[in-house]
Amino acid sequence: MAVAQAAALIRAGKLVAFPTETVYGLGADAADDRAVAAVFEAKGRPRFNPLIVHVAGREEAEALAAFDDRGRRLADRFWPGPLTLVLPRAPDSPVSLLASAGLDTLALRWPAHPLAAALIRAVGRPLVGPSANRSGRLSPTTAAHATAELGRHAAMVLDGGSCRLGLESTVIGLGEGLPVLLRPGALSVEAIESETGPLVEPALTVGEAARPSPGMLLRHYAPNSPLRMAAESALPGEAMLGFGALSGDLNLSPSADLAEAAANLFAMLRQLDGRGGIAVAPIPERNLGRAINDRLRRAALGSRKPTV
Ligand code: TXA
Ligand code: MG
C-alpha cells in the first residue's frame, strides 16, 4: 500500500511529497537532522526560514509546544484543518532545531487530508512539510506539479489528486500579546477572529528585519512571467486570468466564488506561466480573497526571479 511504502521511506530518512487539503508538502521525519537538512537543500530554501511540523493528533502536538487557552481553543475548533499555530517550543521537543531555524517557537499543523493523517500515523513521528516547490515558486496542488517541482529530490510522490483548498494554511503566532496573522491562508481571518477577537496584521511593507515571520519574504509564490493585479483587460502579449463576469484565457471562478478561485489559483497560474505576462482580474479583499490577494501581491513584486 502506498502509504506504508511512503512511511517506510520517511523512516529511512528519505523525502516524500504528500497531499494535504491545502497544497502538497515535502515530508520528512521532523526529528531527523539530516532529513530536515535535505528538505532545505531540495527546496533551495534559506536556512533562516523555518518549516511547519505536521502532526495527527492533539496529544502529539501538545508534546512538542506549549499551548495556552487561545491555542487550545483554536485547535479545538479548526484542527484538523488549514490552520498553523506558532507556539513556544517545548524544552524537550524532539523536533530538529534546524526545522525551526533556531527559533524558540514551533509552527504546528494537523492536516485534514486523510492520506496526510494516515502517513503521519504510519511514520509514528511528526513530519516537516513545507510546500513541495522550489523556494519562492508556486505551491503544487497536484501530484504532477509536485513531481515537476521536486520529483528529483523525493523518493516518492504520494498521489492524492487535486488539493481541495489549493492555498496554504493560515499561520497564526501565539506569543505574548495579541495573536498575530503571520500568513493569510485557506482558513479565513474572519473565521479565526470569531474565536480570538482582532488579529494583529503586520504590514507587508515592514523591513526584512522587523518581519515577525521569516516566511513573510516579499517576493514569493511567483510564476516566471511578470504578474499584474486588478487588471480590467490583458495588454498585448499578456494572458488574462479572469474572475466572475470578467473573463479571460482562464477564469478563477465564473460564479465569483472565492473558495473555487483559491482552489484554482496556483494551477491556473502554472497553466498561464511562460507567456509575456499574466494579468489577473480584481479579486475582492474579503474572506479567502485576502489570502488570494496576498499571494498575488507577492507574485507581482518585481519581475526578477526570487533571490532567496
Ligand atoms: O498549507 C500549508 O501550510 C503547507 C502544507 C504542505 O501543510 N505547508 C506550507 O509550508 O505552506 P511552508 O514551509 O511552505 O510555509 C511555512 C510558513 C512560512 O511562511 C514560514 O516562515 C512560517 O510558516 N513559519 C514556520 N515556522 C515558523 C515560526 N516558528 N515562526 C514564524 N513563522 C514560521
Ligand atoms: Mg511554501
Side-chain angles (χ1 to χ4, degrees), residues 189-294:
V189 168
E190 287 87 341
I192 296 169
E193 287 185 332
S194 72
E195 198 61 50
T196 60
L199 298 174
V200 176
E201 295 189 42
L204 187 66
T205 49
V206 296
E208 289 287 342
R211 218 161 281 143
S213 173
M216 299 175 84
L217 302 168
L218 286 178
R219 183 163 164 85
H220 213 81
Y221 311 107
N224 292 314
S225 303
L227 185 144
R228 200 161 58 83
M229 291 178 72
E232 298 294 332
S233 61
L235 298 173
E238 276 182 340
M240 179 78 198
L241 182 54
F243 177 77
L246 196 56
S247 247
D249 297 86
L250 295 173
N251 194 324
L252 287 167
S253 171
S255 64
D257 177 309
L258 289 167
E260 182 184 27
N264 284 331
L265 179 68
F266 289 142
M268 289 188 171
L269 287 176
R270 257 174 216 276
Q271 247 178 291
L272 298 180
D273 203 4
R275 313 258 194 114
I278 306 173
V280 186
I283 310 289
E285 185 74 13
R286 61 178 154 77
N287 293 318
L288 291 181
R290 293 167 71 165
I292 294 172
N293 283 325
D294 169 80

Side-chain angles (χ1 to χ4, degrees), residues 76-131:
D76 283 345
R77 171 122 178 241
F78 297 116
W79 275 2
L83 171 68
T84 295
L85 297 175
V86 175
L87 302 161
R89 189 187 161 101
D92 53 354
S93 175
V95 170
S96 160
L97 289 168
L98 187 57
S100 49
L103 300 172
D104 52 10
T105 54
L106 212 55
L108 294 180
R109 172 162 118 80
W110 176 0
H113 196 294
L115 279 183
L119 177 64
I120 298 162
R121 295 207 171 103
V123 173
R125 285 199 285 274
L127 303 184
V128 290
S131 50

Side-chain angles (χ1 to χ4, degrees), residues 60-81:
E60 192 183 349
E62 297 202 22
L64 302 177
F67 282 68
D68 60 9
D69 278 354
R70 302 169 305 177
R72 287 202 190 88
R73 274 210 316 279
L74 286 172
D76 283 345
R77 171 122 178 241
F78 297 116
W79 275 2

Side-chain angles (χ1 to χ4, degrees), residues 43 45 130-131 133 139 168 183 220-221:
K43 283 183 57 80
R45 179 167 176 129
S131 50
N133 51 274
S139 297
E168 301 84 353
R183 178 178 72 181
H220 213 81
Y221 311 107

Side-chain angles (χ1 to χ4, degrees), residues 20 22-25 45 49-52 54 86 103 105-107 109 129-131 168-169 171 182-183 213-215:
T20 81
T22 59
V23 301
Y24 275 73
R45 179 167 176 129
N49 192 2
L51 308 177
I52 296 175
H54 293 65
V86 175
L103 300 172
T105 54
L106 212 55
R109 172 162 118 80
S131 50
E168 301 84 353
S169 62
V171 182
L182 295 173
R183 178 178 72 181
S213 173

